[in-house]
Structure formats: C-alpha cells, structure tokens
C-alpha cells in the first residue's frame, strides 16, 4: 500500500466503516467534488439497508470491516459511539502505519482511540454537522499524536468538499457540538418562530417558511463572504426609528441573546458529560 500522504486525492482509496447518513454525506461530497473517484470508495455495514445508498453513488460495498482497511488507506469510522470500541478491536490486526484513521463518532477521545489501536496509528477526530448532507457543513478536526501536517492537510482538503473544515484543539470539539451540531436545531427553532411571526401578521405559512429560509441563507452568505462581524451587518440593517430596531427591542425583552448563549452552553456541557462516560 502506498503511503497515504503521497497519494494524489483523485487516486486515493477511501473507506467507510459504517454507512449511515453522515458517512453517506461525506462520501457524496467527496465524489461529487471530484476529490475521490466513486469506484475508489468502499463502505461496510452489517446489512444492506444503508449500503444501497453507496451503491447508488457507484461506490463499492462490503459486509467486512477488515476488507475496508485492507483496501483503503484513508478510513472513516462512522459507527455509533458505543459500537466503535468493538469495531476497532476487530480491525486492529490489519491496521498499518500507512493508514489514516478518522473517527466521526462523538464522545470518544483521541487518547482512547490511540489506546484501542496499534501503537503509532495515525488517528484524527472529525466533528461534522447535518448540513454536510447538502455540502454546507461546519466541521472541525483534531489530530492525534502521530499525525503530521501533510496528513492533516490532506483530510482538511478532502472535507472541504462537504463544507468548511477547520483544524482545532481537541477540546473545541465539544464546543463545536454545542454550536454547530446542536445549533442546527437552535436555528430551526428560531426559523420556525420567525415564520410564525409572519403567519400571525397574515402571511401564508408556506410562503413565510420559504422566505425565512432564504433570509437565513442570504445573511449567512453575507457574513461568510464579507468576513463581517454579525454586529456590523445588524447595524447596517438598523435605521433610526425604523422597523428593525423596534423588532430588535422586542427580541431583547424576550431574552433571545441570553437564551441562545445558554443553549450553546447547555449542549456543550452535555457533550462533555457524554465524553466522560
């Protein structure tokens, strides 16, 4: 097997142990962006239930986890967290120094992963979020002790096919769970409330929901493309005595800012508790 860091992304053989929605989203992003050829992707799962979606992408499938390791140099472990230790024990005998192993499972630290795998294994953790499904994910990654800059850069480049990916200290992964993982639900709750406000004032629900989604999309693009602080964009929308400042006053009276900060804090604390179990 060729050392992974020396392989051009287009020639890379990528494996997925676990074939759920997040694994499919990452594979789909890699294939559609031309980062990896579909015939160079191999996914494993106990049953055909999820593997059929990989076959639809033109990827290879198997029921053998070891086969994935034996044929792929970059392998994503996308199983449920409680299943991962037994899966790693199963594949450990075929792990080599040339593998790059990426865990997508929440709650299992790099130190634990390194304990469960052969000495010197190159291990990284990635925390994705659901918008990876539409290639607009917010992802962070952290590297283990044996991972060099070239391997980390390779993984980051590949994952950018699924959205934005930043390398961070491992401690930030739990915060990312509270911010970007759980944040999808927080944004959806705010979106629903925003649309319901329009419905209250007489707008049909379907139209209100569509306009709300487009408003969020456009705002996010402006923040990303212009690298603006949200406060600056908010100020640009606010005119003295206008509609926006009256609406913002109502949000402040309702405690939106404090409630949102508390939501991220609560989700982060829960992620940390799960990591200690």
């Amino acid at each position: 097997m060729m050392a992974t860091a020396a392989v051009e992304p287009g020639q890379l053989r990528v494996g997925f142990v676990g074939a759920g929605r997040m694994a499919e989203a990452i594979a789909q992003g890699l294939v559609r962006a031309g980062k990896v050829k579909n015939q160079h992707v191999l996914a494993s799962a106990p049953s055909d239930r999820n593997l059929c979606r990989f076959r639809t992408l033109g990827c290879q499938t198997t029921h053998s986890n070891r086969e994935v390791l034996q044929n792929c140099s970059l392998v994503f472990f996308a199983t449920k967290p409680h299943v991962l230790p037994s899966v790693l024990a199963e594949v450990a005998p075929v792990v080599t120094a040339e593998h790059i192993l990426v865990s997508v499972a929440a709650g299992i630290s790099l130190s634990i992963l390194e304990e469960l795998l052969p000495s010197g294994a190159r291990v990284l953790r990635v925390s994705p979020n659901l918008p990876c499904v539409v290639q607009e994910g917010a992802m962070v990654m952290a590297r283990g002790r044996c991972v060099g800059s070239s391997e980390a850069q390779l993984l980051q480049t590949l994952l950018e096919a699924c959205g934005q990916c930043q390398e961070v200290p491992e401690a930030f992964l739990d915060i990312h769970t509270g911010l970007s993982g759980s944040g999808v639900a927080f944004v959806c709750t705010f979106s629903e409330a925003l649309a319901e406000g329009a419905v209250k004032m007489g707008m049909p629900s379907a139209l209100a929901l569509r306009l709300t989604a487009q408003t969020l999309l456009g705002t996010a693009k402006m923040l990303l493309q212009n690298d603006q602080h949200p406060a600056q964009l908010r100020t640009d929308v606010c005119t003295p005595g206008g509609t926006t400042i009256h609406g913002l006053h109502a949000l402040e009276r309702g405690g939106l800012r404090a409630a949102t900060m508390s939501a991220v804090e609560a989700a982060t604390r829960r992620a940390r508790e799960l990591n200690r179990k």
Side-chain angles (χ1 to χ4, degrees), residues 213-241:
Q214 185 61 40
T215 300
L216 292 174
L217 175 63
T219 304
K221 282 190 172 182
M222 290 180 71
L223 291 172
L224 289 171
Q225 290 177 3
N226 300 328
D227 198 23
Q228 280 185 300
H229 191 283
Q232 180 60 54
L233 184 54
R234 185 196 68 217
T235 300
D236 291 345
V237 177
C238 265
T239 55

Side-chain angles (χ1 to χ4, degrees), residues 197-269:
V199 172
K200 179 181 180 182
M201 301 313 296
M203 182 178 285
S205 178
L207 177 59
L209 288 167
R210 180 170 291 278
L211 291 175
T212 297
Q214 185 61 40
T215 300
L216 292 174
L217 175 63
T219 304
K221 282 190 172 182
M222 290 180 71
L223 291 172
L224 289 171
Q225 290 177 3
N226 300 328
D227 198 23
Q228 280 185 300
H229 191 283
Q232 180 60 54
L233 184 54
R234 185 196 68 217
T235 300
D236 291 345
V237 177
C238 265
T239 55
T243 61
T244 305
I245 191 63
H246 280 75
L248 286 172
H249 187 200
L251 289 177
E252 292 293 351
R253 280 204 309 265
L256 174 73
R257 193 184 301 255
T260 303
M261 292 172 66
S262 295
V264 174
E265 179 183 3
T268 300
R269 289 186 184 279

Side-chain angles (χ1 to χ4, degrees), residues 33-78:
K35 301 278 189 178
V36 179
K37 295 178 180 177
N38 56 357
Q39 63 266 34
H40 289 174
V41 175
L42 175 62
S44 66
S47 70
D48 286 334
R49 187 181 63 177
N50 292 329
L51 291 177
C52 60
R53 296 199 288 267
F54 276 82
R55 295 185 191 121
T56 300
L57 286 172
C59 303
Q60 306 297 309
T61 63
T62 178
H63 295 304
S64 169
N65 295 330
R66 285 195 179 192
E67 186 179 342
V68 175
L69 275 291
Q70 289 164 339
N71 288 276
C72 301
S73 48
L74 174 64
V75 179
F76 289 90
F77 289 91

